[in-house]
C-alpha cells in the first residue's frame, strides 16, 4: 500500500500548485527588476531562467524516481541514513517556512498599500491565516483543489493586460541585446526569485496519482509560469518608456491604472483583490511543506498540530515584528540564494551521488 495514497493529487492539481507558487512572490516587481538590470532586454533573462528551471525540475524528477513512494526525506533516510534525513528535514522545513514568510509578509505590505491602508498588519495577518489554516489542515488534496480554483478565477487577468497594448510603443524593445549578454545574465539572476518554488516537487512527488506524468507536469507548470511572466513583462516594457518603468515599484499594477470601464473605476484595485488568491499560493503549499517536514521529524502522520503551532507563531510574531518593503526585498534576496542551493545545486549533487552509488554497486557485483 502506498504511504501517501490517502492524499493523492491529480496532474492538474500538481501543475496548479507549482505554477501558483512560482507566480506569486515576485511578479509585481519583476518588470522593474529586469529593467534595472538589462533595460528592455530583461525579458531575455526570463527565457534563460526558464531553461534553467526546466533542467532543475527534470533533475528533481529523476532524483525522486529513485524512491517513488516517498518524499526527498524518505529517500535520504533510505540511502544515507536517518540522521541525514533529519538534517535535510530541518533545513528544507526552514526553507519552506522562509519562503512562505516572505510571501505572506509581502502580501500584507501590498494589501496595506493598495487595499487596506488603515488596517494594522497583525490584523491583516490574522485575516490571511484563518483561511490558510482552514485549507492546509485538510492536506495536500484540498490544497490542490484550492490551487485549481485559483487558476480558474485568475483566467481573466491575462486578457485584462491586453487592453493597454493600444498605447504600446514596440520600438522600445529595439535594438535587441543593446549592451550585450552580460546585463541579460544579470536580469536572469533578478528573475530567479520569481521562478523559484520548484522545490515543492520534492514534497509533492509521492502524492502524484500517476508519477510517470511528473516530467510532463513540471514542463507544463514551468512553461505556464514563463509565458505569464513573459506576457506581463513585455506589456510593461512596451507601455512604459525604458526610463519610466524604473520609477515604478509595481509596474504590473501601474500599467492597469489607465484602463477604464463604465462599471469599474479603479481596475488595479480589483486586480490586487483577485491576485490575493494567487499570492496565497506562495505560503499555503509552502507552510504545509514546512509542517510536513516537522511531522516527518516527529514520526507523525498528522500535520495539524505543527500547523497550529506555526499559525500561532506567525500571529503573535507579527505583533513584535513586521518587515518593511526594503526589509522584505532584502529577505527576498536571501531567499533567492537559498532557493539556488536547495532547488538547483542540491538535486544535481544528489542525482550525481545516486548515480555514482549505482555504478559502484554494479562494479562490486561484476
Amino acid at each position: 500500500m502506498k504511504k501517501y495514497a490517502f492524499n493523492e493529487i491529480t496532474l492538474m492539481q500538481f501543475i496548479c500548485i507549482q505554477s501558483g507558487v512560482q507566480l506569486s512572490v515576485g511578479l509585481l516587481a519583476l518588470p522593474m527588476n529586469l529593467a534595472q538590470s538589462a533595460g528592455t532586454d530583461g525579458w531575455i533573462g526570463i527565457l534563460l531562467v526558464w531553461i534553467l528551471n526546466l533542467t532543475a525540475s527534470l533533475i528533481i524528477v529523476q532524483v525522486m524516481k529513485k524512491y517513488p513512494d516517498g518524499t526527498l526525506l524518505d529517500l535520504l533516510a533510505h540511502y544515507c541514513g536517518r540522521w541525514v534525513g533529519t538534517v535535510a528535514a530541518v533545513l528544507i522545513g526552514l526553507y519552506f517556512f522562509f519562503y512562505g514568510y516572505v510571501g505572506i509578509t509581502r502580501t500584507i505590505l501590498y494589501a496595506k498599500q493598495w487595499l487596506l491602508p488603515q488596517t494594522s498588519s497583525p490584523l491583516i495577518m490574522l485575516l490571511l491565516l484563518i483561511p490558510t489554516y482552514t485549507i492546509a489542515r485538510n492536506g495536500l488534496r484540498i490544497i490542490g483543489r484550492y490551487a485549481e480554483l485559483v487558476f480558474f478565477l485568475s483566467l481573466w487577468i491575462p486578457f485584462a493586460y491586453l487592453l493597454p497594448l493600444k498605447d504600446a510603443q514596440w520600438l522600445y524593445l529595439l535594438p535587441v541585446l543593446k549592451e550585450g549578454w552580460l546585463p541579460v545574465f544579470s536580469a536572469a539572476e533578478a528573475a530567479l526569485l520569481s521562478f523559484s518554488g520548484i522545490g515543492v516537487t520534492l514534497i509533492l512527488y509521492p502524492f502524484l496519482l500517476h508519477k510517470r506524468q511528473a516530467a510532463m507536469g513540471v514542463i507544463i507548470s514551468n512553461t505556464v509560469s514563463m509565458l505569464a511572466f513573459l506576457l506581463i513583462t513585455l506589456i510593461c516594457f512596451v507601455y512604459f518608456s525604458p526610463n519610466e518603468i524604473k520609477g515604478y515599484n509595481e509596474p504590473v499594477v501601474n500599467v492597469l491604472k489607465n484602463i477604464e470601464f463604465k462599471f469599474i473605476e479603479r481596475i488595479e484595485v480589483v486586480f490586487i483583490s483577485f491576485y490575493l488568491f494567487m499570492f496565497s499560493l506562495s505560503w499555503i503549499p509552502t507552510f504545509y511543506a514546512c509542517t510536513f517536514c516537522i511531522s516527518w521529524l516527529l514520526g507523525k502522520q498528522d500535520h495539524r498540530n505543527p500547523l497550529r503551532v506555526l499559525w500561532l507563531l506567525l500571529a503573535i510574531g507579527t505583533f513584535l515584528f513586521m518587515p518593511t518593503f526594503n526589509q522584505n526585498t532584502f529577505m527576498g534576496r536571501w531567499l533567492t540564494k537559498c532557493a539556488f542551493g536547495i532547488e538547483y545545486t542540491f538535486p544535481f549533487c544528489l542525482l550525481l551521488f545516486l548515480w555514482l552509488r549505482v555504478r559502484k554497486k554494479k562494479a562490486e557485483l561484476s
Side-chain angles (χ1 to χ4, degrees):
M1 181 178 176
K2 294 181 180 178
K3 186 177 180 180
Y4 302 107
F6 66 96
N7 237 336
E8 285 181 325
I9 58 175
T10 64
L11 176 64
M12 182 65 180
Q13 292 168 348
F14 178 85
I15 293 170
C16 289
I17 292 174
Q18 184 159 309
S19 291
V21 174
Q22 290 178 313
L23 288 170
S24 52
V25 176
L27 175 61
L28 298 192
L30 177 62
M32 183 267 292
N33 293 331
L34 294 176
Q36 288 181 339
S37 299
T40 54
D41 289 332
W43 64 271
I44 304 175
I46 294 176
L47 299 178
L48 296 180
V49 180
W50 171 63
I51 295 172
L52 175 64
N53 251 36
L54 280 181
T55 305
S57 297
L58 292 174
I59 288 176
I60 290 174
V61 171
Q62 291 303 314
V63 167
M64 298 309 299
K65 282 182 178 179
K66 305 297 183 182
Y67 200 77
D69 293 326
T71 64
L72 175 71
L73 308 178
D74 300 309
L75 182 149
L76 289 172
H78 177 77
Y79 285 104
C80 305
R82 178 74 186 186
W83 69 272
V84 175
T86 300
V87 172
V90 172
L91 294 177
I92 294 173
L94 288 173
Y95 168 70
F96 282 128
F97 172 77
F98 187 37
Y99 196 108
Y101 182 74
V102 171
I104 197 169
T105 52
R106 193 73 173 184
T107 303
I108 293 171
L109 293 170
Y110 284 141
K112 281 185 67 67
Q113 178 182 354
W114 294 97
L115 302 175
L116 303 168
Q118 303 301 320
T119 307
S120 66
S121 297
L123 181 56
I124 298 176
M125 173 67 84
L126 189 61
L127 292 172
L128 295 177
L129 286 177
I130 291 173
T132 297
Y133 176 75
T134 303
I135 296 169
R137 71 174 180 176
N138 292 302
L140 196 58
R141 182 176 295 173
I142 300 303
I143 295 175
R145 291 173 182 173
Y146 174 73
E148 282 184 302
L149 175 65
V150 171
F151 173 78
F152 289 112
L153 286 176
S154 306
L155 285 178
W156 66 274
I157 293 178
F159 296 100
Y161 276 96
L162 298 179
L163 297 175
L165 287 179
K166 64 180 185 298
D167 300 317
Q169 297 292 332
W170 294 96
L171 292 177
Y172 288 154
L173 297 177
L174 300 176
V176 179
L177 296 175
K178 307 173 192 59
E179 300 177 11
W181 282 98
L182 191 60
V184 173
F185 292 136
S186 178
E189 183 181 356
L192 203 59
L193 174 61
S194 297
F195 269 98
S196 64
I198 60 174
V200 294
T201 306
L202 298 169
I203 303 298
L204 295 180
Y205 184 86
F207 295 95
L208 185 60
L209 183 59
H210 301 295
K211 294 177 180 58
R212 66 181 182 276
Q213 299 176 329
M216 180 173 63
V218 296
I219 291 173
I220 294 174
S221 62
N222 281 287
T223 303
V224 168
S225 300
M226 180 272 293
L227 292 174
F229 288 137
L230 194 62
L231 171 67
I232 293 178
T233 298
L234 286 174
I235 289 173
C236 289
F237 280 179
V238 299
Y239 184 81
F240 298 110
S241 68
N243 292 324
E244 183 184 9
I245 192 173
K246 298 176 184 178
Y248 295 107
N249 291 323
E250 295 91 30
V252 176
V253 181
N254 294 101
V255 75
L256 298 173
K257 282 191 171 183
N258 292 328
I259 299 176
E260 295 182 359
F261 293 106
K262 292 181 180 179
F263 53 92
I264 300 178
E265 184 175 353
R266 295 183 61 192
I267 191 175
E268 73 275 9
V269 174
V270 178
F271 168 81
I272 289 291
S273 301
F274 268 90
Y275 211 75
L276 289 178
F277 290 103
M278 187 66 74
F279 281 144
S280 67
L281 293 178
S282 69
W283 71 78
I284 294 179
T286 50
F287 282 162
Y288 170 81
C290 173
T291 56
F292 180 90
C293 292
I294 297 172
S295 301
W296 189 90
L297 278 172
L298 299 175
K300 304 290 185 181
Q301 291 287 335
D302 192 354
H303 69 286
R304 287 177 293 183
N305 285 332
L307 184 63
R308 293 182 186 115
V309 174
L310 182 63
W311 193 99
L312 287 174
L313 287 174
L314 289 167
I316 297 171
T318 311
F319 284 96
L320 303 176
F321 172 72
M322 177 64 200
T324 63
F325 269 109
N326 289 335
Q327 290 169 333
N328 186 270
T329 301
F330 178 76
M331 288 190 293
R333 295 194 189 102
W334 275 100
L335 179 61
T336 302
K337 295 177 182 179
C338 295
F340 189 81
I342 289 179
E343 299 184 355
Y344 300 95
T345 307
F346 174 65
F348 174 78
C349 294
L350 184 56
L351 181 64
L352 182 61
F353 166 76
L354 295 174
W355 180 76
L356 291 174
R357 190 174 184 273
V358 171
R359 287 287 300 270
K360 182 181 177 181
K361 279 195 171 183
K362 288 183 178 179
E364 290 174 350
L365 291 174
S366 60

